[in-house]
Amino acid sequence: MPRHQCGRHYMTQDKQVWRARTAVGLLLGVLGLLACLAGCTGPNPLERARPPDALAWDEARLADNPYFYQRFLTQYPTSAFARPARARLEALEWTVVQQVDGVPDYARFVRAYPDSVWVPQARARLTELEEQDARCHDTNGDVNCLQLQDRVHAYTTAVEQTLEDMAQLPPDKRQQPRLSATDLPHLPRVFRAIRDYQNTVAAVQVTYGTLPPCHLPHKEIAYLALPTTGGHMLLHHLPVYGPLRGETIWQILE
């Protein structure tokens, strides 16, 4: 073979080898890039997983609600995040207590957080509210005791008059299960006294939240008034004391 042809032959082989090596390098580079991309989207084995209490703490902080902080403290009482969780829970509950502004809520806060910086303020407001309640109870008794006693007296007087009317009836008439105002002229006073007493009790409870301590349950007001289909009212007198407790003493149709 001529010398100049041999040179061209060797040069051609070198180009083929160079091209093959270049193709392999490009292929390896593409594969490496794909591997890098796959590694970036998947979990990093060198990165440590966050502990459960840290994840729960992030959830509680994001919600920023007493329920979630309390749940976190119940689940992880010894966590490194327990102290800030208690501090935030205390602050949130103090805000709620101030909004409600009631005796039970301040008392509960003092019991739950005796070392809180807000305890002196809570105790001062608690004392103020208790004094207000005491004055309100005194006013309730002064204003309403006589009024309630008058309502009870009006009821018992009407009942006594109605029973006197009943005593004037013939024995056979008196034994009838239902009597009307024609038979008992004072019967309307009984129902009027019942309604006056009910309205007074409801007004006192709306204004003061409770009846005054002077007004104890009265057996004279032990009754059951039921409307009937004819538009009348059926009254059962049911004593709550004594040997006849719970029995119907008399039954009258208004």
Side-chain angles (χ1 to χ4, degrees):
M1 178 180 300
R3 184 181 302 271
H4 63 277
Q5 292 181 353
C6 290
R8 285 196 299 269
H9 177 70
Y10 292 139
M11 290 176 63
T12 301
Q13 287 182 342
D14 291 340
K15 288 181 179 181
Q16 290 177 349
V17 172
W18 177 83
R19 289 175 180 173
R21 291 178 178 176
T22 301
V24 171
L26 290 174
L27 179 60
L28 292 177
V30 171
L31 293 176
L33 180 61
L34 293 176
C36 178
L37 292 176
C40 292
T41 57
N44 187 353
L46 300 179
E47 182 181 354
R48 295 172 55 186
R50 300 191 65 198
D53 64 327
L55 298 176
W57 171 240
D58 288 343
E59 180 185 13
R61 285 192 302 170
L62 181 63
D64 198 33
N65 182 278
Y67 168 78
F68 288 91
Y69 287 117
Q70 187 62 61
R71 188 180 69 173
F72 174 83
L73 291 172
T74 302
Q75 294 176 341
Y76 306 102
T78 60
S79 169
F81 306 106
R83 184 172 181 178
R86 292 190 185 94
R88 184 56 183 161
L89 176 62
E90 177 183 329
L92 291 175
E93 292 199 349
W94 172 242
T95 301
V96 173
V97 166
Q98 289 180 299
Q99 292 173 349
V100 177
D101 197 35
V103 170
D105 302 276
Y106 285 111
R108 179 184 56 80
F109 182 85
V110 171
R111 291 194 302 269
Y113 304 99
D115 299 326
S116 173
V117 294
W118 293 298
V119 163
Q121 185 176 347
R123 291 187 186 276
R125 183 56 179 162
L126 179 61
T127 301
E128 182 180 359
L129 291 176
E130 289 176 341
E131 291 175 352
Q132 290 179 3
D133 287 346
R135 290 193 297 269
C136 183
H137 285 306
D138 293 340
T139 304
N140 188 2
D142 295 339
V143 172
N144 298 307
C145 278
L146 292 177
Q147 185 177 194
L148 288 168
Q149 290 173 2
D150 289 341
R151 296 294 185 269
V152 172
H153 179 69
Y155 173 77
T156 55
T157 300
V159 169
E160 291 171 357
Q161 292 171 341
T162 303
L163 292 178
E164 291 177 1
D165 293 341
M166 187 180 295
Q168 302 298 322
L169 295 176
D172 58 339
K173 187 72 172 179
R174 196 185 311 164
Q175 298 301 322
Q176 292 183 5
R178 295 187 179 183
L179 299 173
S180 66
T182 303
D183 303 313
L184 305 171
H186 291 93
L187 179 61
R189 295 185 182 181
V190 176
F191 290 97
R192 186 165 54 249
I194 290 174
R195 294 191 183 98
D196 289 344
Y197 175 78
Q198 288 177 327
N199 293 335
T200 302
V201 168
V204 172
Q205 289 177 329
V206 168
T207 304
Y208 295 94
T210 183
L211 294 176
C214 63
H215 188 70
L216 301 176
H218 293 272
K219 61 181 178 181
E220 295 87 356
I221 310 298
Y223 62 87
L224 178 63
L226 301 173
T228 64
T229 56
H232 301 286
M233 184 178 290
L234 184 63
L235 176 66
H236 295 271
H237 194 270
L238 305 171
V240 293
Y241 302 109
L244 298 178
R245 179 177 55 189
E247 297 183 13
T248 301
I249 301 302
W250 43 276
Q251 175 177 278
I252 303 177
L253 182 65
E254 181 184 25

